[in-house]
Amino acid sequence: MIRLERTEARSRSTAIRVDAACPDVATVAARLPRLRDAFSARLHAGPAPGEALRLDAPDAALLEAWLAAEMQAQDGADDKLAAAYLLGRIAFAVSEVLAALALQGLQPARLAPDAVALTARRAAWHLDGQSGEGRAYDIVLAGSDLVPCGAPAAMLGAALPELLAPLVLYLIGRSGLSRGALWRLVGDALSGALLMQGKHVGREEEAMEIAHAVLRDRQSPLYSRQTGYFRIDLPERPDIAEWFRVRGGCCRYYTTEGGAYCSTCVLRDPESREALLRAHLRRKHGLDGT
């Protein structure tokens, strides 16, 4: 039987080790892990290029072009899916960079919307003998200074709603998705990015505690009862186990032609979710008989 656990909030706050001297953005950016290969967000410092999307005042024409690109990538996509995909990708890009910095005890000196911009690029993917192209989003910081981050949950919990509020507001009117549905996508991106970065540095429990503190704050637009983490192991190999993020929102992939619920979708029943994740673990460890 699969052992399924949900992380509990700890009474103590997560403390991150902080180095006395903070490197600059360029130094840190050069060594950020590329955990999503070509789709990993790249970090740059300096003036935003002309094709960048400013987060304080998102350009409608540029947003429409980005939404159109997301819609064209999926057969049968509608406005809601395009908005969900765009916001999810942007939120993950911002979150993976901030999460990686936070786990190093760092944060940008300024995280206001007028200090952060986004650029888009094409990225190639290869999976199970197939390949194609998708869209990736990179981060441009107006300043080049990093400062110590001793309270990552507080930093992330404040930064993401402030940075992405103008984009969420635009997409509410443009897509027909509710405010809550859009913010749940942002929370899912944060929880997924933290788990990914935490696994990479061997501090996944710490990373999940940070996400839990942010997503269980009832005063935050990121508040979600559904988003969480589950640990799954194999009955025949209890030594093989892994934490997975379970979503509180939905990217709406199931509405496309030939689409289905994602393995960790909030709309999927627990039994099928467990079966899919167990199958993933078997393939990952060469235990699927192929």
Side-chain angles (χ1 to χ4, degrees):
M1 180 177 181
I2 293 178
R3 178 163 55 88
L4 200 59
E5 300 174 355
R6 186 181 294 274
T7 55
E8 298 295 334
R10 306 280 182 89
S11 58
R12 65 177 178 84
S13 61
T14 301
I16 299 293
R17 296 177 294 278
V18 180
D19 293 331
C22 293
D24 60 20
V25 171
T27 300
V28 173
R31 66 187 189 213
L32 284 179
R34 299 284 183 253
L35 304 180
R36 296 190 294 145
D37 299 321
F39 288 87
S40 294
R42 300 169 184 169
L43 176 61
H44 306 278
E51 71 275 12
L53 182 77
R54 292 173 52 98
L55 288 184
D56 59 332
D59 179 76
L62 184 56
L63 274 178
E64 290 300 323
W66 287 9
L67 285 167
E70 294 290 354
M71 187 176 297
Q72 292 168 6
Q74 298 289 340
D75 292 336
D78 59 11
D79 288 343
K80 290 183 177 180
L81 180 137
Y85 267 49
L86 179 63
L87 181 61
R89 294 191 204 279
I90 287 175
F92 202 100
V94 174
S95 296
E96 72 176 319
V97 168
L98 293 183
L101 293 176
L103 290 172
Q104 296 180 48
L106 299 168
Q107 69 179 70
R110 288 196 67 236
L111 268 176
D114 64 350
V116 182
L118 296 160
T119 57
R121 59 180 165 83
R122 303 296 298 176
W125 58 266
H126 305 275
L127 181 65
D128 297 332
Q130 297 183 325
S131 62
E133 280 194 339
R135 291 175 66 79
Y137 297 91
D138 298 327
I139 315 301
V140 182
L141 296 176
S144 60
D145 294 331
L146 297 174
V147 296
C149 175
M155 182 271 286
L156 292 167
L160 281 177
E162 183 180 8
L163 292 175
L164 297 178
L167 178 57
V168 168
L169 181 62
Y170 182 89
L171 292 176
I172 290 173
R174 175 62 174 78
S175 70
L177 290 173
S178 71
R179 174 184 179 275
L182 291 166
W183 280 120
R184 282 192 293 273
L185 290 169
V186 176
D188 288 347
L190 173 63
S191 61
L194 274 165
L195 180 59
M196 179 183 73
Q197 297 289 1
K199 286 180 177 180
H200 177 67
V201 296
R203 291 156 60 192
E204 55 191 335
E205 294 271 2
E206 186 178 356
M208 289 187 290
E209 286 181 22
I210 295 170
H212 195 283
V214 174
L215 299 178
R216 294 303 185 267
D217 179 3
R218 292 180 176 271
Q219 304 306 311
S220 171
L222 301 179
Y223 170 74
S224 174
R225 293 177 300 167
Q226 294 88 0
T227 306
Y229 298 101
F230 292 88
R231 183 176 172 85
I232 291 184
D233 56 23
L234 297 179
E236 70 274 23
R237 287 285 303 276
D239 58 309
I240 295 177
E242 191 169 336
W243 285 99
F244 294 91
R245 181 273 317 268
V246 177
R247 302 170 188 263
C250 178
C251 69
R252 300 185 59 82
Y253 173 66
Y254 76 95
T255 66
T256 63
E257 294 180 16
Y261 295 146
C262 300
S263 60
T264 57
C265 181
V266 67
L267 300 177
R268 182 175 287 281
D269 64 274
E271 292 75 17
S272 64
R273 178 180 65 213
E274 294 166 20
L276 287 171
L277 296 178
R278 186 171 60 237
H280 164 75
L281 278 182
R282 290 194 173 108
R283 288 193 302 272
K284 182 176 179 178
H285 293 275
L287 301 174
D288 58 351
T290 60

